[in-house]
Amino acid sequence: MAGGKCLHCKQSGQCPECYGSGKNSRLNVPGDLCEACKGSGKCVVCGGREPKNPITKLMLWLRGDD
């Protein structure tokens, strides 16, 4: 975290691997949960402390991950 801002999740607070859904998005990996966050949907570096971006929340809602 540089200057108090998480560079891993780009300040979204969400896991960059599953975009905060907690679901496995890779077809070639078995399991239903994201391997990086273990299904929490939170960034593993900052713990999800960064505020959620309303645009990202909208995109996840449109995709059906809500």
Side-chain angles (χ1 to χ4, degrees), residues 1-2 5-7 10 15 19 22 26 35 44 46-47 50 53-54 63 66:
M1 292 183 15
K5 297 186 180 193
C6 181
L7 299 176
K10 297 185 175 114
C15 174
Y19 303 101
R26 297 182 185 193
E35 291 182 349
V44 295
C46 70
E50 297 290 336
N53 184 349
R63 193 172 79 173
D66 198 304

Side-chain angles (χ1 to χ4, degrees), residues 2 4 6-7 11-12 16 18 21-22 28-30 32 35-36 38 40-42 47 49 52 56-57 59-60 63 65:
C6 181
L7 299 176
Q11 303 175 36
S12 70
C18 65
S21 70
N28 62 347
V29 178
D32 293 335
E35 291 182 349
K38 308 294 185 233
S40 72
K42 296 180 182 178
R49 290 186 304 241
K52 293 192 180 214
T56 304
K57 286 178 64 176
M59 296 304 289
L60 288 172
R63 193 172 79 173
D65 288 348

